Amino acid sequence: MISRLAPSSKDDLAKIHRAALRLLNEAGVAFPGGPALKVFRDHGFRTKGDLVFITEEQLFRHLATVPKTVPMVARNPEKSCLLGGPAPLLFGFGAPIKILSADGSLHPITTADFQAIHKLTQTSPLPQISSYKATSPADIPGQTAHLE
């Protein structure tokens, strides 16, 4: 069995990279009804309707202008951190419907999983940004889940 948690090989990452570049260039990215289309056009990107087509050269040229780090300022200054800095920064995820068990099987999220995920997040010594809704437990009716 192939582990779902195993890191991808360099060849696999290269295939994903080439496929992503091809999708950006050939299929495009939709920006429905927003002012972003004008910004893309003004910067030389090809557009068709609400689609923007991005070449590899354009992608890397514009990525080079992005700052390497961005300060994330918290209400409590002691909790502020640097996104992209030398230390890892963990972000919460949003509402998976299944969870991977230690034995490699998948099961629907339960209230116990919800509690365990929040305990792990809250006790981590690493800087993190927690998601208020880390999961949607399947063992609670959806109509009242937000009250639990």
Side-chain angles (χ1 to χ4, degrees), residues 58-91:
Q58 288 171 319
L59 177 67
F60 287 109
R61 179 167 29 99
H62 290 283
L63 282 176
T65 69
V66 176
K68 301 295 182 222
T69 59
V70 177
M72 298 202 55
V73 180
R75 289 177 293 200
N76 175 351
E78 293 176 12
K79 301 292 184 182
S80 292
C81 55
L82 197 60
L83 182 60
L89 180 60
L90 306 177
F91 282 84

Side-chain angles (χ1 to χ4, degrees), residues 129-148:
I129 297 171
S130 182
S131 171
Y132 83 95
K133 188 173 182 177
T135 63
S136 292
D139 58 347
I140 301 174
Q143 297 84 350
T144 59
H146 64 287
L147 300 172
E148 295 291 332

Side-chain angles (χ1 to χ4, degrees), residues 16-145:
I16 293 168
H17 178 75
R18 285 191 305 272
L21 290 173
R22 184 172 166 224
L23 283 170
L24 289 170
N25 190 33
E26 295 178 17
V29 181
F31 289 88
L37 287 170
K38 180 178 178 346
V39 173
F40 280 108
R41 279 190 212 106
D42 290 349
H43 285 87
F45 289 82
R46 181 172 60 93
T47 62
K48 180 179 180 183
D50 64 356
L51 291 175
V52 176
F53 300 90
I54 304 170
T55 67
E56 181 177 5
E57 186 275 328
Q58 288 171 319
L59 177 67
F60 287 109
R61 179 167 29 99
H62 290 283
L63 282 176
T65 69
V66 176
K68 301 295 182 222
T69 59
V70 177
M72 298 202 55
V73 180
R75 289 177 293 200
N76 175 351
E78 293 176 12
K79 301 292 184 182
S80 292
C81 55
L82 197 60
L83 182 60
L89 180 60
L90 306 177
F91 282 84
F93 48 88
I97 58 172
K98 293 191 177 186
I99 197 161
L100 184 64
S101 297
D103 66 3
S105 64
L106 290 172
H107 71 265
I109 298 281
T110 64
T111 303
D113 295 322
F114 177 88
Q115 292 168 345
I117 288 168
H118 277 288
K119 285 177 184 178
L120 285 169
T121 301
Q122 292 168 3
T123 59
S124 171
L126 297 172
Q128 39 44 51
I129 297 171
S130 182
S131 171
Y132 83 95
K133 188 173 182 177
T135 63
S136 292
D139 58 347
I140 301 174
Q143 297 84 350
T144 59

